């Protein structure tokens, strides 16, 4: 149960966000490489949404300009 609790904390919230909020119920592409690409795009969208929520858009723009 300890491992299940750890897994629930670290991985479930992104999937719970990606499915309803980004409108992805099924993968559009077939094959391992295509699925990996699609999953990477969805993960990037999730991470961007989290950064906007945490930092706000103006602070995020300033941070990106410093890269």
């Amino acid at each position: 149960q300890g491992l299940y609790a750890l897994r629930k904390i670290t991985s479930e919230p992104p999937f719970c966000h990606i499915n309803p909020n980004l409108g992805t119920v099924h993968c559009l592409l077939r094959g391992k490489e295509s699925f990996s690409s699609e999953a990477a795009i969805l993960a990037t969208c999730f991470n961007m949404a989290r950064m906007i929520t945490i930092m706000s858009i103006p602070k995020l723009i300033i941070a990106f300009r410093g890269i």
Side-chain angles (χ1 to χ4, degrees), residues 30-47:
R30 294 180 182 253
K32 186 176 180 180
E33 186 175 329
S34 297
F35 170 77
S36 295
S37 299
E38 188 173 350
I41 292 169
L42 291 172
T44 302
C45 292
F46 172 77
N47 290 334

Side-chain angles (χ1 to χ4, degrees), residues 7-25 27 35 38-40 42-43 46-47 50:
R7 192 188 112 225
K8 184 177 178 183
I9 291 170
T10 57
S11 67
E12 294 298 325
F15 291 111
C16 293
H17 170 81
I18 286 172
N19 289 338
N21 295 339
L22 298 180
T24 57
V25 179
C27 293
F35 170 77
E38 188 173 350
L42 291 172
F46 172 77
N47 290 334
R50 287 291 294 148

